[in-house]
Amino acid sequence: MGPTPPSGPLGRSAGYGTGMNQMTTNSEPEILVEADGPVRLVTFNRPDSRNATSVTMHHEFLSLWPKLAADPGARCVVVTGAGKAFSAGGDYEMMQLSLQPAGRWRNVDEARRLLVELVHFPLPIVAAVNGAAVGLGASFLAFSDFVVMAESAFIADPHVAVGLVCGDGGVAWPLHVGLLRAKELLLLGGRIGAAEAKAAGMVNRVVPRDDVLGEALDIAHRLAALPAGALQDTKRALNMYLETSLAGPVGHSLMTERYSMASEEHCEFVNRQLGS
């Protein structure tokens, strides 16, 4: 078992403000950042929505990575979800806003910038997948450095099924699992259970749900104790594979996802979900 999970969030004095939510005292931050020695624990904090990504959360998650990189005391980052899910992907409000041209441009531009931030982020990233990782939640795993997954969790990317091109990084999966397996994941969009995900090379460790965060923190502290320069330059070299994909398939899929947001199939899906 790893270190005891941190007990309280870092305040604004630590440089991790949570944007609009922090201005409203009655509103919980949608992203929490806590310190456990040299490890920073980032938690998606919308448990009632299965940590679905809102417009606010998407913007804050993008803004967070430069702050983490500039934190002189940070040596590793763990990302997890509050409640039963890791992340359920984009919420319906976000999808609805993306039906408008300005919303599409903002969504895709932030997605592109987020992937660039993740690829160039110098510290190791450990994903603690406590539950469902869907859409953007699934794609994030492809840009992590180490993935610990609960036995009961699953990965799914339903972009195509809802009329969208998979444009938030999922087309990087061939680097991890091979082209045919990636096509199955992205084109059919079915659920990939923890055991299958580990066998396919999508995750590193599978543990009971109650042990996910402890295991992830234990790995993070081991990484944090390694010589920083050697670790970070090795990660930078390995991430050149991902950087190449940003200039090719990932960049193409982001551009085409923007157009698919206005497709008849996707508009019909969003309107059905919203009861329009």
Side-chain angles (χ1 to χ4, degrees):
M1 181 64 65
T4 301
S7 59
L10 292 175
R12 294 182 70 181
S13 61
Y16 293 104
T18 52
M20 291 182 284
N21 280 327
Q22 204 160 32
M23 301 176 190
T24 306
T25 57
N26 295 327
S27 180
E28 280 288 319
E30 295 193 356
I31 296 177
L32 300 175
V33 182
E34 302 165 276
D36 185 18
V39 175
R40 299 296 175 263
L41 174 62
V42 176
T43 304
F44 300 129
N45 190 40
R46 300 186 72 208
D48 293 341
S49 302
R50 298 178 64 81
N51 298 316
T53 307
S54 68
V55 173
T56 299
M57 181 188 280
H58 199 253
H59 179 71
E60 290 177 356
F61 197 51
L62 167 62
S63 302
L64 178 62
W65 296 96
K67 299 173 186 177
L68 289 166
D71 182 345
R75 296 285 293 272
C76 189
V77 176
V78 174
V79 179
T80 194
K84 296 181 179 181
F86 179 72
S87 173
D91 68 6
Y92 293 124
E93 177 192 18
M94 190 172 182
M95 290 186 186
Q96 186 179 37
L97 288 175
S98 294
L99 298 181
Q100 306 302 319
R104 289 197 290 276
W105 278 99
R106 171 176 169 168
N107 187 324
V108 172
D109 181 61
E110 286 192 352
R112 178 190 60 78
R113 289 161 57 201
L114 174 59
L115 296 179
V116 170
E117 289 288 348
L118 292 175
V119 167
H120 294 146
F121 186 68
L123 308 180
I125 301 169
V126 180
V129 186
N130 55 305
V134 179
L136 176 60
S139 298
F140 177 77
L141 306 185
F143 288 79
S144 299
D145 302 305
F146 209 101
V147 180
V148 179
M149 190 173 183
E151 292 171 338
S152 57
F154 66 86
I155 298 169
D157 196 323
H159 273 78
V160 171
V162 302
L164 290 175
V165 174
C166 180
D168 58 10
V171 293
W173 276 119
L175 292 172
H176 301 273
V177 303
L179 187 58
L180 285 178
R181 184 63 67 94
K183 286 181 178 180
E184 179 179 357
L185 170 67
L186 299 179
L187 299 182
L188 294 180
R191 295 184 177 186
I192 308 296
E196 184 180 357
K198 186 175 187 298
M202 302 173 79
V203 305
N204 301 93
R205 305 275 174 86
V206 173
V207 299
R209 186 182 186 280
D210 290 344
D211 295 340
V212 168
L213 185 55
E215 180 75 10
L217 287 169
D218 182 60
I219 292 165
H221 279 276
R222 289 170 59 189
L223 291 167
L226 293 171
L231 183 146
Q232 291 176 22
D233 280 338
T234 300
K235 171 181 171 169
R236 187 173 294 114
L238 290 168
N239 271 13
M240 287 180 179
Y241 292 103
L242 287 169
E243 192 168 10
T244 299
S245 76
L246 285 180
V250 174
H252 173 78
S253 66
L254 278 168
M255 178 182 67
T256 51
E257 183 184 25
R258 185 180 73 219
Y259 297 115
S260 70
M261 289 174 180
S263 69
E264 181 179 350
E265 295 90 347
H266 182 61
C267 291
E268 288 178 352
F269 169 79
V270 175
N271 289 330
R272 283 198 306 270
Q273 300 305 312
L274 297 173
S276 303

